Amino acid sequence: MTIRTRFAPSPTGFLHIGGARTALFSWAYARRHGGKFILRIEDTDLERSTEVSVAAILEGMQWLGLDWDEGPFFQMQRLGRYAEVAEQLIAAGHAYRCWMSREELEILRKEQTEKGLKPRYDGRWRPERAKAAGLVPPERAPVIRFRTLEDGDIGWHDLVKGPISFQNRELDDLVLLRADGVPTYNFGVVVDDLDMDITQVIRGDDHVNNTPRQLHIFRALAEEKKIPAFAHLPMILGADGERLSKRHGAVSVMQYREEGFLPEALVNYLARLGWSHGDSEVFPVKQLLEWFDFKHVSRSPAKFDPEKALWMNQQYLKNTDPGLLAKLTEEVLNKTKVDIKNGPPLDRVVSLLKDRANTLQSLAEAARLFYVYEEPAAKNLAELLNDRTRPALQMLAAKLADTPWERKSLGAAVSEVLKASGLKMPELAMPVRLLVTGRTQTPSLDAVLELLGRETVLARLARHQSVNQTG
Ligand code: GLU
């Protein structure tokens, strides 16, 4: 049997961390077993669904590399099919038309609540009851309800959570099709999962309560062997134990891109949210596709830790080829109008900086100093240029005029000046940094000098020296 899984987002917002993790596991399971991964857009919530969200979800999946084999299918393009299946269920006695109005339902719920009962539809339009009660269909479009068994229970063996069951009397006769012909979530999902031959339904465990209802519909429509297995994934919580939301920082996948995450790093981090393979933390997606199974999906909620996500990104930045990293960093620099033609080759710059950056943003920010010269602050100049440092700076400038321009010799030149002047390393390095880069904090001085080049370094040392001497 070919494994067929699906991701079925509702397009009511961007692709968020939780959705992306569900999509990842569903995709990984299909890929691991040589199966198919299907994308289905559940756009039946007409008020909240938008095309912008559809585009955002597709973009997020593409960025993460979660490619789908079939779809995207849109539920709103399948209304005819839902109507057809609803009729089939009516004909078989599994469903019926119900004309109860919203107001009537409201009154019923109120009465039930007052009696201390759980508010639920009472099945009054089940044909035999309606007939006995002499109910006459009014002049308005009915909804179609499912006739849920009233006794016994219904359960399944969840691939993550193990056996789960519900008592049928907890469930009422749910609406399948609204009066306007739009299916409810529980109906659309079953028709589609059957039509699309889904073998494993993989989704968040906020849907556990829907599964018994869906199972009843499945059973009314298909033989047992066509009914998919279910894997309900644990929720993702913020550090405070609350369900992950905007309060916890970035929840949109594309925001991670904005913030300078590599998609491979985010995928790796998502893979570890509620699933593990021994102690493995950093592993490529190829590895996930060999390892992924439900046995190692945790039953308890996962915690989203932004610090750990950054750490993961750092591991990937470190291991990215400098040429590629330079390209990605250049895109970020271009956005802030930094022109890399004004400085050393960017791949050499990122090689120097990448071990300390945890986002492309921080890498670009660090790289900026090689391309944009910021005038040293007067306060810093006053503090760092004095009678002790100025002669040493001049001595250094003189040496640098004919030192071979590579890191080791530059370091040696600095050491010689320290020795001759009696200054300590920071006493010399700080004013050099300030004059040459405008900043007081930079990576290792010899490396910075090497990358900036002799001409730039000497010009900047000389310029500020003379400004300060005359001014
Ligand atoms: N549209 C549902 C959601 O976004 C899909 C649930 C499912 O996978 O069955 O939560």
Side-chain angles (χ1 to χ4, degrees):
M1 187 176 63
T2 312
I3 296 288
R4 292 173 61 87
T5 67
R6 69 350 179 243
F7 177 49
S10 304
T12 54
F14 41 69
L15 179 64
H16 55 78
I17 290 293
R21 197 273 315 254
T22 299
L24 175 65
F25 285 12
S26 198
W27 174 81
Y29 191 74
R31 291 284 171 267
R32 169 163 189 196
H33 296 281
K36 298 278 184 226
F37 177 58
I38 291 129
L39 178 60
R40 180 169 81 223
I41 305 292
E42 302 203 323
D43 53 354
T44 55
D45 183 338
L46 303 182
E47 268 167 32
R48 297 174 59 222
S49 298
T50 65
E51 279 180 27
V52 174
S53 298
V54 173
I57 291 168
L58 301 190
E59 190 188 15
M61 290 184 65
Q62 277 154 349
W63 182 64
L64 291 173
L66 306 179
D67 55 333
W68 54 93
D69 304 298
E70 293 172 26
F73 298 108
F74 293 83
Q75 289 192 317
M76 286 308 287
Q77 292 173 9
R78 291 175 42 79
L79 295 185
R81 177 64 183 146
Y82 307 122
E84 181 182 46
V85 177
E87 286 304 330
Q88 205 177 306
L89 285 169
I90 293 175
H94 287 301
Y96 59 92
R97 294 189 165 78
C98 165
W99 282 269
M100 191 165 187
S101 69
R102 200 175 291 263
E103 297 72 40
E104 286 169 320
L105 198 54
E106 218 105 287
I107 294 168
L108 174 67
R109 289 203 174 123
K110 214 170 141 230
E111 284 168 6
Q112 289 166 328
T113 314
E114 278 165 12
K115 285 189 205 143
L117 299 171
K118 202 171 138 194
R120 65 211 294 273
Y121 173 69
D122 57 4
R124 68 177 64 169
W125 281 96
R126 284 188 176 204
E128 65 286 1
R129 290 186 197 159
K131 199 168 161 214
L135 295 183
V136 182
E139 280 291 316
R140 61 169 172 264
V143 302
I144 295 177
R145 286 188 184 267
F146 186 75
R147 184 194 285 271
T148 305
L149 289 178
E150 290 177 314
D151 302 313
D153 37 44
I154 186 151
W156 71 98
H157 189 96
D158 198 273
L159 298 175
V160 174
K161 295 177 180 282
I164 300 183
S165 83
F166 287 80
Q167 293 190 322
N168 287 333
R169 64 179 154 77
E170 295 293 316
L171 316 167
D172 55 6
D173 284 359
L174 71 147
V175 174
L176 301 176
L177 219 52
R178 301 189 179 94
D180 60 4
V182 176
T184 55
Y185 157 67
N186 280 311
F187 185 47
V189 92
V190 171
V191 173
D192 288 354
D193 285 340
L194 279 174
D195 283 356
M196 296 171 193
D197 294 316
I198 300 304
T199 52
Q200 280 78 18
V201 166
I202 300 161
R203 60 185 170 204
D205 68 5
D206 48 338
H207 286 290
V208 164
N209 288 337
N210 287 317
T211 306
R213 300 170 197 279
Q214 293 175 17
L215 265 178
H216 278 300
I217 307 172
F218 272 117
R219 288 189 182 164
L221 287 171
E223 322 159 47
E224 201 64 33
K225 68 174 198 303
K226 279 216 69 184
I227 301 179
F230 295 90
H232 287 98
L233 308 175
M235 286 288 101
I236 302 175
L237 308 179
D240 55 1
E242 297 288 324
R243 215 177 136 161
L244 193 67
S245 74
K246 278 196 192 132
R247 283 184 301 115
H248 299 105
V251 282
S252 150
V253 164
M254 294 317 279
Q255 202 174 329
Y256 282 87
R257 178 184 174 163
E258 290 297 296
E259 290 179 9
F261 272 70
L262 296 174
E264 299 80 9
L266 191 58
V267 163
N268 192 160
Y269 183 67
L270 292 174
R272 291 283 294 103
L273 282 177
W275 176 82
S276 59
H277 183 84
D279 294 332
S280 306
E281 285 291 351
V282 184
F283 46 84
V285 69
K286 207 171 111 265
Q287 201 65 78
L288 172 70
L289 298 190
E290 278 170 33
W291 288 339
F292 184 75
D293 61 355
F294 290 119
K295 217 171 103 206
H296 295 93
V297 173
S298 153
R299 291 182 184 199
S300 40
K303 273 218 172 119
F304 188 85
D305 178 353
E307 287 301 318
K308 195 170 161 203
L310 283 167
W311 173 86
M312 184 65 86
N313 201 39
Q314 184 167 25
Q315 308 313 306
Y316 277 80
L317 287 174
K318 265 192 214 169
N319 292 317
T320 300
D321 161 73
L324 175 60
L325 202 52
K327 246 184 82 200
L328 297 169
T329 308
E330 187 178 350
E331 283 168 21
V332 180
L333 287 168
N334 282 344
K335 278 193 200 147
T336 53
K337 306 252 176 314
V338 174
D339 189 348
I340 61 157
K341 286 203 281 304
N342 301 332
L346 189 53
D347 55 345
R348 293 186 61 200
V349 170
V350 299
S351 296
L352 172 68
L353 301 170
K354 65 179 185 170
D355 287 0
R356 281 195 286 178
N358 56 17
T359 63
L360 288 171
Q361 244 62 22
S362 59
L363 188 55
E365 176 49 33
R368 243 178 86 100
L369 84 85
F370 292 95
Y371 305 100
V372 181
Y373 180 63
E374 275 159 24
E375 205 54 50
K379 181 175 148 279
N380 289 338
L381 284 172
E383 198 178 304
L384 295 171
L385 296 186
N386 53 45
D387 292 346
R388 270 165 63 72
T389 56
R390 222 178 255 121
L393 288 164
Q394 270 157 10
M395 197 190 303
L396 181 66
K399 272 197 193 302
L400 294 184
D402 54 14
T403 302
W405 208 260
E406 48 83 29
R407 207 166 158 173
K408 222 169 128 210
S409 316
L410 295 168
V414 171
S415 300
E416 283 164 28
V417 174
L418 289 178
K419 217 164 161 196
S421 64
L423 292 180
K424 299 230 163 47
M425 183 58 155
E427 289 176 296
L428 178 63
M430 288 286 271
V432 176
R433 285 196 163 98
L434 182 68
L435 293 177
V436 170
T437 71
R439 308 188 190 195
T440 50
Q441 280 179 338
T442 71
S444 151
L445 185 59
D446 48 2
V448 171
L449 296 178
E450 182 187 48
L451 282 173
L452 282 174
R454 191 189 316 264
E455 207 182 314
T456 304
V457 168
L458 291 182
R460 288 182 187 168
L461 280 176
R463 179 168 162 237
H464 288 287
Q465 285 287 353
S466 60
V467 164
N468 270 278
Q469 276 168 352
T470 55

